[in-house]
Amino acid sequence: MRPLAQTLVALVLPVVQLHLAPCLAEAHGGAARSSIGVTSGPHLALPFSHDDYAAARMRAQRESKLLIVEAWATWCHTCQSMRNFVFTDPLLRPMADRFVFVALDTDRPINAAFVERFPIASWPTMLVLDPGQSGTALKDERIISRWIGAMTAPELLGRLGHVTARPAGVDKLLEDADTAASEQRWDAAAPLYADVVQQSVMERPRALLGQIQALREKSDYPACVELVATSLQATGNNANATDFAAYAAACLDHDNDADQRQKLRQRLRGYLTALVDDSSAPLSVDDRSDAYGTLIELSDGLGDGVTADRFAESRLRLLESAAAAARTPADASTYDLHRLDSYRRLKRYDEAERMLTTSIRALPNDFNAPARLAKLYQHMGRLDDALQKIDDALSKSYGPRMANLLEIQANIRQGLGKTQEAVQSLLAAIVVIESQPIRNERKLALLRKQIASLQSTLSSPSLRPGSKTSPSSLPVQGPGRQSPTGQRPMAVTPAAATVRLTQGRNGHLGASTTHPAG
């Protein structure tokens, strides 16, 4: 164990355990309740069991069926869209008996062994597995297909109908690519997906999405930019296209050729604009919202804030209409994250507060709404209210998501001049990350760097609490001009900004390999 880690355990582990204990008990109790039998519910067309991979795998082996695993998270809006509006579609019922279905919340400790075996880089991810013949869990499964992001019900129906246990030709090549990607062997995955792009028109959009994700994950930005330049028109008109565009926009941010970067942004914006204007395109509300988010970012990158605001207004009209038509509060909350982004950009703070307060009342056990309200209050400069809401969110959270919330807590505390308390929050975040089956080393390095910066602040006489230039006397940044990335600066000091939270364009795409979505 590293010396810093020893310090963290001594200082912070009791606090983290206090937060984790209820969720660990809930996770194990929930597994006991849902490990046997089907939990399709009154609306779901597919019979998902929940959070017991071993039991689902044994059932698939016993029934000689392929196993469909949905890896999801409660904070992922695309996951919520799939669960609330796709898996409920009666069109999928003919597939209910052909496979064994299991949904795994990747944040729950009970699913840690699965996540370690099959690292998830995008949410949602669906894996089609041959469960193997061994009675030992997580030993001889074989990945047949990997589907990332959103799908419509007809698209999912088609993919499930096409799956076979013994793929050949292009399907076998796709299997090899999906296996490499599922194991995060991006150097191997990228050329395999490229081969599929060349060999199959039908699978080209999905292969292009896999290829651009692999290139971005391994930071091969020149190849990523080249793929955008040569393949944009081949991505189709469904969620593959909107997801490809989100990865493309991220790659263009790293293009050192300014002229090429702006030309490609213009091309990408034109393509996406035509796509969202096409009412016949097979896109869900969430898919169109993702596209609008990328359009906003592209417009900001082009220095065209006026057009970006128009896209934000169109996005908000779409989402408000969908939320009003939703059957349940949970369905309506699917759109909270992107509605919040739009309200903030358009400075409609009262409406954002009302939306999130409504979600908190309707879903009292969900940590997402209070966490988002904390970020809204932080943005508005209402730091005492923000601290109260983030504490509420932490009391309801579990798993790796706690680290993100602890970062927000640290940011708020630093804004209030509570630097020592901010350090404690960041130490707690490190403990959470180091407890995960797959550690995010990049995030750990950033957190340690921020802790060192804050500790140097504490050791500086001119910045100690109570001094004329202490953090508590620094101005708090309230609502201001939109940043080029489409995210407003946080109300923190420059030191705290070192590890500002990533805000994914999509439920499965952020600025790191674990892609938070607010």
Side-chain angles (χ1 to χ4, degrees), residues 255-274:
D255 188 355
N256 294 324
D257 185 334
D259 184 56
Q260 174 179 254
R261 180 175 65 244
Q262 296 303 78
K263 287 180 178 178
L264 286 175
R265 280 175 173 162
Q266 287 279 13
R267 277 187 57 196
L268 185 55
R269 186 171 72 167
Y271 183 79
L272 272 183
T273 300

Side-chain angles (χ1 to χ4, degrees), residues 19 59 68 72 74 91 103 112 123 154 157 190 224 247 254 258 284 289 295 374 392 407 440 449 456 462 493:
H19 283 299
R59 181 185 163 204
I68 310 295
W72 74 291
T74 63
L91 184 68
W123 286 260
L157 179 68
C224 189
Y247 280 110
H254 297 273
S284 69
S289 179
L295 285 167
D392 180 29
E407 288 184 75
N440 187 335
K449 182 177 180 181
S456 68
S462 63
T493 64

Side-chain angles (χ1 to χ4, degrees), residues 276-277 288-297 311 314-315 318:
V276 296
D277 288 344
R288 291 181 187 276
S289 179
D290 279 339
Y292 276 122
T294 304
L295 285 167
I296 291 166
E297 180 180 351
F311 284 131
S314 297
R315 183 191 209 187
L318 171 74

